């Protein structure tokens, strides 16, 4: 999946033998959703999760959705809110519209406040939910979290908090992770 500033491939790679998975992911973004959806893509390394997520992201872009990608990195897995910073960096200007305490909590968690207080997990999660909800009022949003098993726990907690409270917002959250079990925070009540 191309990151910010990376060119998209000219010819999409053909995915063979994953018709069911492709259909399920494509169905989340095309047609554009009218309500929130969450899906976990879990499996062993090398089974093609990243290709499935990249295909969903391309379909979402083509359908006019805003795509917010984040890719977990082992080297950042112990850095609090590193994943959240990567995910929200393109839309941080939207924090100006958040209620004061939420804006301060999110900016503080991301190290962007001049005088940050200790991160408040509840307020940070609420701020992420509010920001995604606000963004979805302008255009539907797809959050794509690849290699989520390497995301830091603070970011996973904030995303899980938001995912569990999404409702009528036009936000789709797709999370790909290695292993047989969902990452922490996503281990209850989310379809996979």
């Amino acid at each position: 999946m191309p990151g910010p500033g990376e060119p998209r491939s000219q010819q999409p790679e053909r995915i063979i033998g994953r018709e069911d998975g492709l259909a399920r992911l494509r169905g989340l973004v095309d047609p554009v959703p009218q309500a929130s959806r969450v899906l976990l893509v879990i499996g062993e390394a090398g089974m093609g999760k990243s290709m499935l997520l990249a295909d969903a992201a391309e379909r979402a872009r083509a359908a006019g959705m805003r795509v917010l990608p984040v890719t977990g990195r082992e080297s950042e897995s112990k850095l609090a809110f590193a994943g959240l910073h990567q995910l929200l960096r393109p839309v941080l200007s939207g924090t100006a519209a958040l209620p004061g305490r939420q804006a301060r909590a999110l900016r503080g968690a991301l190290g962007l406040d001049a005088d940050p207080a200790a991160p408040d997990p509840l307020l940070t999660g609420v701020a992420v939910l509010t920001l995604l909800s606000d963004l979805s009022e302008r255009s539907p949003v797809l959050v794509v979290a690849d290699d989520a098993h390497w995301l830091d726990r603070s970011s996973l907690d904030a995303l899980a908090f938001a995912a569990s409270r999404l409702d009528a917002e036009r936000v789709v959250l797709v999370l790909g992770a290695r292993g047989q079990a969902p990452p922490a925070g996503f281990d209850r009540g989310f379809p996979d």
Side-chain angles (χ1 to χ4, degrees), residues 32 59-66 139-140:
V32 172
R59 295 273 174 163
R61 283 185 190 97
M65 294 179 72
R66 170 174 233 146
S139 69

Side-chain angles (χ1 to χ4, degrees), residues 39-186:
L39 181 68
L40 309 179
V41 180
I42 301 167
E44 295 309 317
M47 68 177 288
K49 296 178 298 297
S50 294
M51 290 292 295
L52 293 172
L53 297 179
D55 179 82
E58 286 302 315
R59 295 273 174 163
R61 283 185 190 97
M65 294 179 72
R66 170 174 233 146
V67 177
L68 297 176
V70 59
T71 301
R73 298 181 178 124
E74 183 176 11
S75 63
E76 296 181 357
S77 64
K78 302 290 187 215
L79 302 175
F81 298 108
L84 204 58
H85 182 269
Q86 183 190 149
L87 176 72
L88 299 178
R89 188 170 180 218
V91 295
L92 284 176
S93 62
T95 61
L98 294 176
R101 290 181 65 209
Q102 290 180 34
R104 282 189 300 281
L106 185 55
R107 285 194 311 264
L110 300 178
L112 302 174
D113 217 0
D115 188 25
D120 181 324
L122 176 62
L123 276 175
T124 302
V126 171
V128 170
L129 175 62
T130 303
L131 182 58
L132 292 175
S133 179
D134 290 352
L135 290 169
S136 76
E137 290 176 6
R138 290 182 218 114
S139 69
V141 176
L142 172 64
V143 174
V144 181
D146 196 9
D147 288 334
H149 53 281
W150 290 126
L151 286 175
D152 60 278
R153 182 61 193 261
S154 300
S155 295
L156 278 172
D157 287 346
L159 285 173
F161 179 90
S164 67
R165 285 157 179 80
L166 290 168
D167 185 28
E169 299 84 0
R170 297 180 305 159
V171 176
V172 174
L173 189 147
V174 180
L175 184 132
R178 185 183 303 168
Q180 297 300 314
F186 285 89

